[in-house]
Amino acid sequence: MEVVISNGSRLLLVQGDITEQTTGALVNAANSSLMGGGGVDGAIHRAGGPVILEECRQIVSRQGRLPAGKAVITGGGNLKARYVIHTVGPVWRGGQAGEPELLASAYRESLHLAAVRGIESVSFPSISTGAYGYPTGQAAVIALRTVLDLLAQRSSVREVTFVLFDARTLHIYQDALKELTALEERTAG
Ligand code: APR
């Protein structure tokens, strides 16, 4: 599914493995240690090779652990993507511990780092909806609304792709995107 917004920027939803993407930057759903893990984190480090972990180690030694909602950028190692943006989503604790704001911040900070580097295309996984337990339907609305708002602003990022690992997650994001764009059409009058 693809949405083209007023300034020509595009948002795409695809099913697949994010490590296969050829976009300018992949976003990794990391943890605060930046020392790798399972899920997307494991896949990106496996496919990208040890050079990414080494860069992460240097970042942590310089600035300490990465708080939830923040992001850092490294090279892409053996990946087709030139960069990896590592961000930490919130662990779901029932929704009253600032999770929605932290999740939106993870997307916002990641796109900000891409724009600062003049990167034109970015691929995101469904941050926090795996090991971190964020309900996918709620996460999808936050992710898509945050990205649509930022794509509408002037920046080098012209295309964002959500790479969803399974059909269930893809369908949830598709439904959320239809809702959000229908809503915008109605409010646009
Ligand atoms: N490509 C795209 N999406 C993937 C891939 C992949 N190769 N592997 C897993 N996913 C999906 C999951 O199915 C889920 O929908 O990414 C989404 C996020 O799941 P996680 O990777 O578990 O990320 P998250 O929920 O943010 O938890 C982060 O898990 O791997 C550890 O080190 C990581 O501690 C951190 C935590």
Side-chain angles (χ1 to χ4, degrees):
M1 179 173 170
E2 172 183 334
V3 165
V4 181
I5 60 175
S6 49
N7 61 7
S9 300
R10 298 173 350 134
L11 188 151
L12 297 97
L13 304 180
V14 299
Q15 184 176 342
D17 178 340
I18 198 166
T19 62
E20 299 296 314
Q21 291 294 305
T22 56
T23 44
L26 303 184
V27 177
N28 179 22
N31 61 60
S32 294
S33 75
L34 291 181
M35 289 297 106
V40 175
D41 204 1
I44 285 180
H45 280 287
R46 249 189 326 276
V51 64
I52 298 178
L53 194 60
E54 188 42 45
E55 266 199 81
C56 288
R57 196 171 283 117
Q58 287 165 18
I59 290 170
V60 172
S61 62
R62 264 201 319 270
Q63 62 184 59
R65 293 167 62 85
L66 188 65
K70 299 293 182 196
V72 294
I73 190 165
T74 66
N78 306 324
L79 288 162
K80 295 176 201 136
R82 185 157 170 226
Y83 294 101
V84 177
I85 293 169
H86 307 262
T87 191
V88 179
V91 175
W92 178 253
R93 293 191 170 82
Q96 304 303 319
E99 298 96 320
E101 295 74 22
L102 285 170
L103 185 61
S105 173
Y107 285 97
R108 199 177 310 119
E109 293 291 311
S110 297
L111 284 180
H112 171 71
L113 282 182
V116 162
R117 281 278 194 315
I119 295 167
E120 293 189 359
S121 57
V122 178
S123 288
F124 280 103
S126 174
I127 299 170
S128 283
T129 64
Y132 280 2
Y134 209 117
T136 306
Q138 296 181 53
V141 172
I142 291 168
L144 293 167
R145 187 186 292 131
T146 304
V147 169
L148 283 169
D149 287 352
L150 290 165
L151 277 177
Q153 294 169 25
R154 254 173 51 75
S155 100
S156 66
V157 180
R158 307 287 295 155
E159 181 177 289
V160 170
T161 304
F162 280 84
V163 184
L164 307 164
F165 207 41
D166 53 74
R168 174 187 165 276
T169 304
L170 172 68
H171 294 145
I172 291 172
Y173 271 72
Q174 286 173 335
D175 291 347
L177 187 56
K178 282 177 198 146
E179 275 289 305
L180 281 170
T181 42
L183 196 65
E184 270 171 27
E185 269 159 22
R186 272 201 300 277
T187 43

